Amino acid sequence: MKKSRGILSLILVAAVLAFLGVTTVRGLNSEGMGAARNINLGLDLEGGVSITYQVKGDTPSQEDMDDTVYKMQRRVEQYSTEAQAYQEGDNRISIEIPGVQDANEILEELGQPGSLYFIRHYDSEGNENYSLNSDGVYVLNKTIDELQESGSIVLTGSEVESASAGSQESQTTGAVQYVVEMSFNDEGTKAFAEATQEAYDNGSDTIAIYYDGDLISVPKVNAVISDGRAVIEGNMTYEEAEQMASTIRIGGLNLELEEISSKVVGAQLGEEAVSTSLLAGAIGLAIVCVFMIFVYLLTGLASSIALVIYTGLILVLLNAYDITLTLPGIAGIILGIGMAVDANVIIFARVKEELSAGTSVHAALKAGFHKAMSAILDGNITTLIAAAVLWLRGSGPVKGFAQTLALGIVVSMFTALVVTRLIVYAFYAIGIRTPKVYGRVKEPRKPIDFLGKRKVFFIISILLCISGFVGMGVNQARGVGAMNYSLDFAGGTSTTVTFDREYTLEEIDSRMIPELEDITGDNNIQVQTVKGSNQVVFKTQTLDLAKREAFETYMQDEFGVTEELMTENISATVSSEMRTDAAVAVIIATICMLLYIWFRFKDIRFATSAVLALVHDVLVVLAFYVIARVSVGNTFIACMLTIVGYSINATIVIFDRIREELKVKEAGEDLKDLVNRCITQTLTRSIYTSLTTFIMVAVLYVLGVSSIKEFALPLMAGIICGAYSSVCITGALWYVMKTRGAAKKAAVSADGANVLPKQKR
């Protein structure tokens, strides 16, 4: 790079910094487009709409309620991945959608959950099941039960898997027309195939779609549909197609629901939660930048500038892609800043190695970026695969986490491989070429015998892994529950209190929550204010009669509450189906990561070792939750998923070095010495990356509110565990598998050599 281009590059970087700064603070126009203040915030930060539905008819079975809650959860995710649906009492379902303030608009768009049926129409004039009214609209002449008995119902809404608005080219005019695309489950596919076969054979039949007795559409059957995918055509606008699709989606519920109340609720956390988290992020970022500059000098300055650009890009892209940001999401972004250091550390560690070997600055920079490329790509692609699977298979908070994770990975790779590289080469081009300013050159460290202590490490790891299960048994025997499940996982009690005036969250947090934590025994009480009223909703772990009475007495004595408290048991906001989705997603992601590592490293032992280390880290963090009695809620899923991504990324770096050294392995060199040398060479990277990430989370823990602390504390344990497993476990596991495999081959060869001559004789 010429000097002029170097100066131009630095000016460009300064311009990008200024642009991102202005955009995130003020926005690109008068309405603040792109500004950080316009990022979609979750229910915990901004509040939103809360709607309660009640089941029509008799009290439903728990199985039907669970299924309907889960389907409602998937419906409301069209508004936000952080929307929640949960059971309240025996026959009510509440949904909470963040970032919206108009309950009527949501009710209109979401639709009134009712019964959806696909019914045979035999001709255009109708038959004994239907008739045309004075307005020319089909109306039902029979009840649903009568239609069911006569076999006129083809299938119900519960057999519809998905429905969405789309577009396609008209076969007659060639113009683009809007349609409704549907897919059915296995049972629905079979039923619809039989119905369309019969309708097609008759030549003029249609299949009508009725919702709560009202006609939605009467599409004609033009072909036999046996693949479970159908399209409704017609002269529709996109809005009409989307409305029809929405009606079909909401009609897929097992139960008929009616809306009984809707309200706008305030944020669950006050402004203090947001401000302290942002302050923690700023302090943590500053500490990390100072650390990088101190250790890596000029290249550390380049990475610090890239980290600031990374932060600005993340804030702008969150806005651009309408990603809903919750408090755990803020923590995830702050954690991402720490993890974004990883790629820079890998590069600069390589540069220092080249400088230590006596190469020129330019050659060292070129070799550093080139040799670090494979480790950075493999580590980030592996984690990106996990994010993609979590997005496709997960639901609720898992989807939200996957979005933020994928965004952070892509942006961190871009800033490390493009922005940092551009800045470093610009510094070199303008004449800064003294080797000392690109990193303190040190003599290569003498290899540490990690493998010699592998049995000790394995024993420690096994004890740590099983301690969680032992702790669960002990806790269960003590009668306190295997884990400290919050209401997100175990359900709880919702208590609505009507005060004589409106209280702010800050007043509630300072005056009420400490006493209520003692009364309820719950250290993670969720609070919601109801806008336009003096009501406050307290969500706690399940309260027995004594605790409910103590709650009511406290409110009467301390705050003069005269109206009766409305108390209702609520189900977990993280349903069993959502937990199953998360577990299945993690399993599939793990398998995909294993296959990718196997493909890239051409050795199943690398992949197996990495997955075993990943399982080890998850089990150790689980043990920490059990023994420390940290509350298990929504942040538990986010924490575990973060550990999975963080652990695999650290392991890839060591394996990449082993793979590289195996290619140039000297004849006669012991494999144990090679592995020890590789672990030692990457030890600085492992320590620095873990330390910078730990600093970010530790600052968050010190300054954050209680809900953030419950996310940060186990995450710090996971960071320490991830560093330990990467250095002490993964290389040792691969070595054991490799040497045992070689020993078995040698034994088989030896046996063959002994047996063969005997057969000849």
Side-chain angles (χ1 to χ4, degrees), residues 452-698:
K453 305 176 183 64
R454 62 183 181 277
K455 291 183 179 179
V456 175
F457 293 143
F458 288 166
I459 292 172
I460 292 173
S461 293
I462 292 171
L463 291 175
L464 288 173
C465 289
I466 65 174
S467 65
F469 299 104
V470 173
M472 287 182 186
V474 172
N475 290 337
Q476 200 71 46
R478 290 169 53 207
V480 295
M483 298 182 75
N484 182 23
Y485 293 109
S486 73
L487 64 91
D488 295 326
F489 269 62
T493 301
S494 174
T495 306
T496 303
V497 183
T498 303
F499 293 96
D500 58 357
R501 69 176 180 86
E502 190 172 346
Y503 282 90
T504 65
L505 275 176
E506 284 69 23
E507 289 178 301
I508 295 169
D509 288 339
S510 61
R511 295 183 58 186
M512 303 180 195
I513 296 302
E515 287 80 5
L516 289 177
E517 287 178 345
D518 292 335
I519 292 171
T520 61
D522 185 356
N523 294 323
N524 195 21
I525 298 175
Q526 296 181 13
V527 181
Q528 285 181 330
T529 56
V530 180
K531 293 188 176 180
S533 75
N534 296 337
Q535 289 184 339
V536 178
V537 180
F538 297 89
K539 295 179 182 178
T540 64
Q541 294 176 351
T542 304
L543 305 180
D544 56 26
L545 182 59
K547 289 181 178 179
R548 289 188 183 190
E549 290 177 348
F551 194 117
E552 186 168 0
T553 301
Y554 170 75
M555 288 298 174
Q556 291 172 349
D557 294 346
E558 299 295 329
F559 298 95
V561 174
T562 56
E563 292 192 31
E564 184 179 352
L565 276 60
M566 293 184 290
T567 304
E568 195 78 69
N569 286 331
I570 58 176
S571 71
T573 55
V574 180
S575 65
S576 58
E577 290 86 356
M578 289 170 66
R579 277 176 273 177
T580 301
D581 284 345
V584 170
V586 170
I587 292 170
I588 295 175
T590 302
I591 294 172
C592 290
M593 287 190 290
L594 187 149
L595 293 175
Y596 177 79
I597 298 170
W598 185 8
F599 168 75
R600 283 289 291 155
F601 287 82
K602 305 296 188 293
D603 187 344
I604 188 63
R605 288 172 288 243
F606 279 122
T608 306
S609 303
V611 171
L612 286 175
L614 186 151
V615 173
H616 163 274
D617 293 344
V618 169
L619 290 178
V620 173
V621 175
L622 180 68
F624 182 82
Y625 269 97
V626 173
I627 296 169
R629 298 295 291 172
V630 178
S631 179
V632 177
N634 260 331
T635 55
F636 171 79
I637 295 177
C639 179
M640 286 301 186
L641 296 176
T642 303
I643 296 301
V644 168
Y646 187 81
S647 172
I648 202 74
N649 200 39
T651 299
I652 290 292
V653 175
I654 294 176
F655 284 169
D656 180 77
R657 183 61 66 97
I658 294 175
R659 173 179 60 179
E660 179 184 318
E661 292 297 320
L662 283 173
K663 294 177 181 178
V664 294
K665 180 176 178 287
E666 296 179 3
E669 183 182 12
D670 187 61
L671 184 61
K672 179 181 176 182
D673 293 335
L674 183 145
V675 175
N676 278 328
R677 188 175 76 251
C678 292
I679 297 173
T680 304
Q681 287 173 345
T682 56
L683 185 61
T684 299
R685 173 264 161 206
S686 300
I687 294 173
Y688 286 173
T689 301
S690 299
L691 181 60
T692 51
T693 310
F694 188 88
I695 288 171
M696 296 295 300
V697 181

